[in-house]
Amino acid sequence: MIVAHALAGEVDVLAFDIFGTVVDWHGSIVRELAQLQPQVDGDAFARAWRAGYQPAMARVMSGELGWTLIDDLHRIILDGILPQFGLEALDEEARRHLNRAWHRLDPWPEAVAGLQRLKRKYILCSLSNGNLGLLTRMAKRAGLPWDCVLSAEVFRAYKPDPATYLGVARVFDLPPARVMLVAAHHDDLAGARACGLRTAYVERPLEFGAGHVKDVTARPDNDMHTKGLEDLAGQLGC
Amino acid sequence: MIVAHALAGEVDVLAFDIFGTVVDWHGSIVRELAQLQPQVDGDAFARAWRAGYQPAMARVMSGELGWTLIDDLHRIILDGILPQFGLEALDEEARRHLNRAWHRLDPWPEAVAGLQRLKRKYILCSLSNGNLGLLTRMAKRAGLPWDCVLSAEVFRAYKPDPATYLGVARVFDLPPARVMLVAAHHDDLAGARACGLRTAYVERPLEFGAGHVKDVTARPDNDMHTKGLEDLAGQLGC
């Protein structure tokens, strides 16, 4: 007999963090580099690109930069790191193509199957700092079955700004406690929890690659702790 | 031999008007009324509710009302017309349920099959004055396979404001001419055309019910003229 988690009937909307939670940005960027520039250390390149992400968003949120889509932040960071990897000669077309690698990220192997199960019972949306065009093209390519693509772009604020988490509840005309954020990052989950949302942690020990295994120890602050989206579906009785 | 329309390869995104174009608001509201309040003239009720829609949006766009979701405008109009139909005694729960009828609109019979064909080749999004929550719940119930739910709510302006049409092009980082609006209303298509989008008209002669057949004569201003979404798919070679 399967007993669903106590939250199963108390939540209507599952909002998913994307980079690292649903898709494997590190492995996908490494694979892109191996194809396009096999001489480059793809692991170091992927981590350098991603490492520029939080500082770039901080420049926007501080007002130093105006509102900027993640596609454009990715490009600013990319232009900055290319010389470190001997790629300063890449032309505009090659840079544009490489920057779009973030539209072509592959899902973690069990993510699509988990989402399909969850979709039968819940409204599924993304809640990512990625922009709508990026998230839509990624979903179409990878088969991510969102009911609605939500993004920082809709709320004109990046996570962990409360406007994003509360924005999801407002879009669906629900109390925050009927929305659950699903994410592989404790800071994101803490932001959601502070706004009254439920939280589910997802273990993604290989988010930064096999050479940099992440601590995925359970923390008691979260409502749920899962090994992936199939596990989430199972715990929720889907 | 099937020759696809000349536009087939020149457009990446199809943006769909919803009320009347993809879903049959008149027939759906008539069916809701027949179930909930069979003594009421459902045809007159549906048309009275819908007739309040443009004036209500005009109050927002003029600044008389602040930014308001369509769910809330529908409710204001509903509260206004209930006495005319002898329904002033409806309690809050019944009014809330009836107002959500707009989340439960049925698609035109061939709409879902047409969208499924179009989705193989194009990015499909809604572009409706309806709010995101309404459009998402409608799509989930009816099986409308959007790649992205876009709404006036994202752009904080109602169609035919240029911010909505140009907003779709900007979301997908495309020139306006690579986006086509699909709609059953010439004023909507004219707004899109003025912004440089392509336009496809959809014949929906029964939008206002069998007692009020609409003129669906082709107009040369539109890039395409179609009898429905299956016809659109056929003409585009999908």
Side-chain angles (χ1 to χ4, degrees):
Chain A
M1 185 183 145
I2 295 164
V3 179
H5 191 280
L7 276 184
E10 295 187 16
V11 165
D12 299 304
V13 173
L14 302 178
F16 292 79
D17 174 61
I18 300 299
F19 301 127
T21 299
V22 176
V23 297
D24 172 15
W25 60 265
H26 180 276
S28 304
I29 299 289
V30 167
R31 284 188 289 277
E32 287 266 344
L33 262 289
Q35 199 173 31
L36 297 170
Q37 305 288 341
Q39 78 286 7
V40 168
D41 177 349
D43 166 64
F45 191 92
R47 288 186 296 114
W49 205 352
R50 182 69 175 170
Y53 186 69
Q54 291 294 343
M57 287 191 293
R59 288 176 63 197
V60 173
M61 294 310 270
S62 73
E64 180 193 337
L65 284 178
W67 176 254
T68 311
L69 298 183
I70 293 298
D71 271 339
D72 298 319
L73 291 183
H74 278 146
R75 178 59 191 272
I76 292 169
I77 305 161
L78 176 65
D79 288 342
I81 65 170
L82 285 176
Q84 301 165 36
F85 293 90
L87 294 174
E88 61 278 7
L90 279 196
D91 66 14
E92 176 60 26
E93 193 186 326
R95 287 174 191 227
R96 276 182 65 87
H97 177 74
L98 183 53
N99 201 50
R100 291 255 183 144
W102 296 91
H103 297 202
R104 297 185 294 267
L105 301 181
D106 294 317
W108 294 106
E110 46 72 80
V112 173
L115 292 173
Q116 284 168 340
R117 287 169 61 185
L118 291 160
K119 183 166 174 152
R120 290 182 219 135
K121 194 162 157 184
Y122 298 98
I123 293 175
L124 306 188
C125 67
S126 56
L127 181 62
S128 169
N129 289 331
N131 45 295
L132 292 169
L134 178 159
L135 294 169
T136 300
R137 289 188 169 104
M138 172 199 286
K140 195 165 180 79
R141 176 181 172 280
L144 307 175
W146 307 126
D147 291 306
C148 186
V149 175
L150 290 178
S151 154
E153 185 177 357
V154 173
F155 306 115
R156 303 276 292 188
Y158 301 120
K159 295 187 293 181
D161 191 300
T164 59
Y165 308 113
L166 294 174
V168 177
R170 198 156 35 233
V171 158
F172 293 109
D173 193 21
L174 290 170
R178 297 200 68 91
V179 178
M180 183 153 66
L181 183 72
V182 182
H185 311 116
H186 288 294
D187 54 346
D188 195 4
L189 295 164
R193 194 164 46 243
C195 293
L197 279 72
R198 312 289 188 144
T199 59
Y201 180 76
V202 182
E203 293 185 6
R204 297 297 187 199
L206 301 181
E207 176 176 359
F208 297 91
H212 312 269
V213 175
K214 194 170 83 169
D215 177 13
V216 294
T217 310
R219 296 194 192 171
D221 297 338
N222 295 310
D223 296 296
M224 298 182 69
H225 181 93
T226 74
K227 294 195 174 300
L229 304 190
E230 289 252 48
D231 183 27
L232 176 65
Q235 290 190 42
L236 287 172
C238 298
Chain B
M1 184 181 146
I2 295 164
V3 179
H5 192 281
L7 275 184
E10 296 186 15
V11 163
D12 299 304
V13 173
L14 301 178
F16 291 80
D17 173 63
I18 300 300
F19 300 127
T21 299
V22 176
V23 298
D24 173 14
W25 59 265
H26 179 277
S28 303
I29 299 290
V30 167
R31 285 188 288 278
E32 287 266 344
L33 262 290
Q35 199 173 32
L36 296 171
Q37 304 288 340
Q39 78 286 7
V40 168
D41 177 349
D43 166 64
F45 191 92
R47 288 186 296 114
W49 205 352
R50 182 69 175 171
Y53 186 69
Q54 292 293 344
M57 288 191 292
R59 287 176 65 196
V60 173
M61 294 311 270
S62 75
E64 181 193 334
L65 284 178
W67 177 254
T68 311
L69 298 184
I70 292 298
D71 271 340
D72 298 319
L73 291 184
H74 278 147
R75 178 57 192 272
I76 293 169
I77 304 162
L78 176 66
D79 288 342
I81 65 171
L82 285 176
Q84 301 164 36
F85 293 90
L87 295 174
E88 62 277 7
L90 280 195
D91 66 14
E92 176 60 24
E93 193 187 326
R95 288 174 190 227
R96 278 181 63 88
H97 177 74
L98 184 52
N99 201 50
R100 291 257 184 144
W102 295 91
H103 297 201
R104 297 186 294 268
L105 300 182
D106 294 316
W108 294 105
E110 46 72 80
V112 173
L115 292 173
Q116 285 168 340
R117 288 169 60 186
L118 291 161
K119 182 167 175 151
R120 290 182 220 135
K121 194 162 156 186
Y122 298 97
I123 294 175
L124 306 189
C125 67
S126 56
L127 180 62
S128 169
N129 288 332
N131 45 295
L132 292 169
L134 178 160
L135 293 169
T136 301
R137 290 187 169 103
M138 173 200 286
K140 196 168 180 77
R141 175 183 174 279
L144 307 176
W146 307 126
D147 292 306
C148 186
V149 176
L150 291 179
S151 154
E153 184 177 357
V154 173
F155 307 115
R156 302 276 292 186
Y158 301 121
K159 295 186 295 180
D161 191 300
T164 58
Y165 308 112
L166 294 174
V168 177
R170 198 156 35 235
V171 159
F172 293 109
D173 193 21
L174 289 170
R178 295 201 68 91
V179 179
M180 183 153 67
L181 182 73
V182 182
H185 310 115
H186 288 294
D187 55 345
D188 195 5
L189 294 165
R193 193 163 46 241
C195 293
L197 279 72
R198 313 289 188 142
T199 59
Y201 180 75
V202 182
E203 292 185 6
R204 296 299 187 199
L206 302 182
E207 176 176 0
F208 297 91
H212 312 271
V213 176
K214 195 169 83 168
D215 177 13
V216 294
T217 309
R219 294 195 192 171
D221 297 339
N222 295 310
D223 295 296
M224 298 182 69
H225 181 93
T226 74
K227 294 194 173 301
L229 304 189
E230 289 251 49
D231 183 27
L232 177 64
Q235 290 190 40
L236 288 172
C238 297

